[in-house]
Amino acid sequence: MSGSGSDPKYAKSKFISRAPLENSNAKWTRLVLTTYTDPNGVERTWESAERQTRPPDCDVDGVGIVTILDKPTGPELLLQKQYRPPIDKVVIEVPAGLVDAGETVEECAVRELKEETGYVGVAEQTSTLMFNGIADPGMCNTNLNMVHVRVDLSLPENQNPKPQLEDNEFIECFTLPLSTLFSELKRLEAEGYAIDARVGTLAEGIELAKKLKL
């Protein structure tokens, strides 16, 4: 997997228009008006959006997947390029997906990784923190768990991974070295890509660890 592809399908996505959407016509999200009282007892309201897909038996909407591939030249983070219509940009992201009913976050992570990248992995660690992802917590209640999935590149099934994308998914997978992740993301940002908050935070954390010699 490389950092760029020849004539990738996502690059052909083109913004057409944007218009208001009534909740009655919305399948995935809806607008809500929350009423609350502030610390002074004053009643206030807040407009926000929320997903309509969270399983009733689950506390989170989905997962973000951290997969570090052990390459001969050093560890590399598995990433994706995907066009996101709300911002009309191709976004650099970690693999991710929504949790299905009756599914654990670990099962979701392993399934989504195989579907989006073709890699077969094993969930090793799940963050108990709730991440708001690329969204603003003042705008949307979407949350997720970050799941660390280990991929053994020596296994036959991981020699030539083939994604199993749905017909509305156009994703390019690639990797970046952890040692230069921050600078590589800055380069991609300068080229016009948007950087998902989860990826950017991870890169910032690595730089901070270097600075503090942690």
Side-chain angles (χ1 to χ4, degrees):
M1 295 184 184
S2 62
S4 61
S6 58
D7 193 26
K9 288 185 177 180
Y10 68 73
K12 297 180 180 179
S13 299
K14 292 183 179 180
F15 176 84
I16 297 177
S17 66
R18 181 171 288 118
L21 175 66
E22 298 293 335
N23 276 347
S24 58
N25 295 325
K27 178 181 179 181
W28 302 101
T29 60
R30 65 176 181 175
L31 291 176
V32 294
L33 182 66
T34 299
T35 302
Y36 68 103
T37 57
D38 69 15
N40 294 323
V42 178
E43 185 174 295
R44 301 183 185 277
T45 58
W46 194 286
E47 298 177 7
S48 62
E50 66 180 23
R51 287 188 179 274
Q52 302 188 77
T53 55
R54 185 182 300 176
D57 58 345
C58 189
D59 293 328
V60 299
D61 295 289
V63 299
I65 304 164
V66 177
T67 294
I68 298 173
L69 302 180
D70 290 324
K71 299 290 188 71
T73 54
E76 299 190 7
L77 180 65
L78 181 58
L79 294 168
Q80 298 180 163
K81 294 177 181 178
Q82 185 170 190
Y83 175 76
R84 293 300 191 180
I87 60 174
D88 189 29
K89 283 191 174 185
V90 175
V91 183
I92 306 300
E93 311 170 342
V94 292
L98 298 178
V99 178
D100 289 341
E103 186 177 49
T104 67
V105 292
E106 291 81 10
E107 290 169 341
C108 176
V110 171
R111 173 181 58 78
E112 287 287 350
L113 183 70
K114 189 173 191 303
E115 291 176 358
E116 294 190 355
T117 74
Y119 281 116
V120 177
V122 177
E124 290 190 319
Q125 179 182 340
T126 301
S127 170
T128 56
L129 298 175
M130 301 287 191
F131 290 83
N132 193 253
I134 200 170
D136 180 345
M139 184 277 291
C140 184
N141 74 335
T142 297
N143 62 24
L144 56 89
N145 282 152
M146 296 296 285
V147 182
H148 296 243
V149 179
R150 178 177 57 84
V151 168
D152 186 344
L153 293 179
S154 69
L155 296 178
E157 56 265 37
N158 289 325
Q159 297 302 306
N160 188 28
K162 298 292 186 183
Q164 302 165 1
L165 301 177
E166 298 180 12
D167 60 3
N168 64 341
E169 290 182 311
F170 304 94
I171 298 172
E172 180 189 359
C173 298
F174 69 109
T175 62
L176 288 177
L178 286 182
S179 61
T180 57
L181 181 59
F182 186 83
S183 60
E184 286 295 307
L185 291 178
K186 293 293 290 184
R187 175 184 62 80
L188 288 166
E189 186 177 48
E191 292 178 4
Y193 293 97
I195 309 300
D196 184 279
R198 290 159 288 188
V199 178
T201 300
L202 178 59
E204 290 276 5
I206 292 174
E207 292 302 298
L208 184 61
K210 290 179 182 178
K211 180 178 180 180
L212 298 178
K213 297 181 172 57
L214 298 178

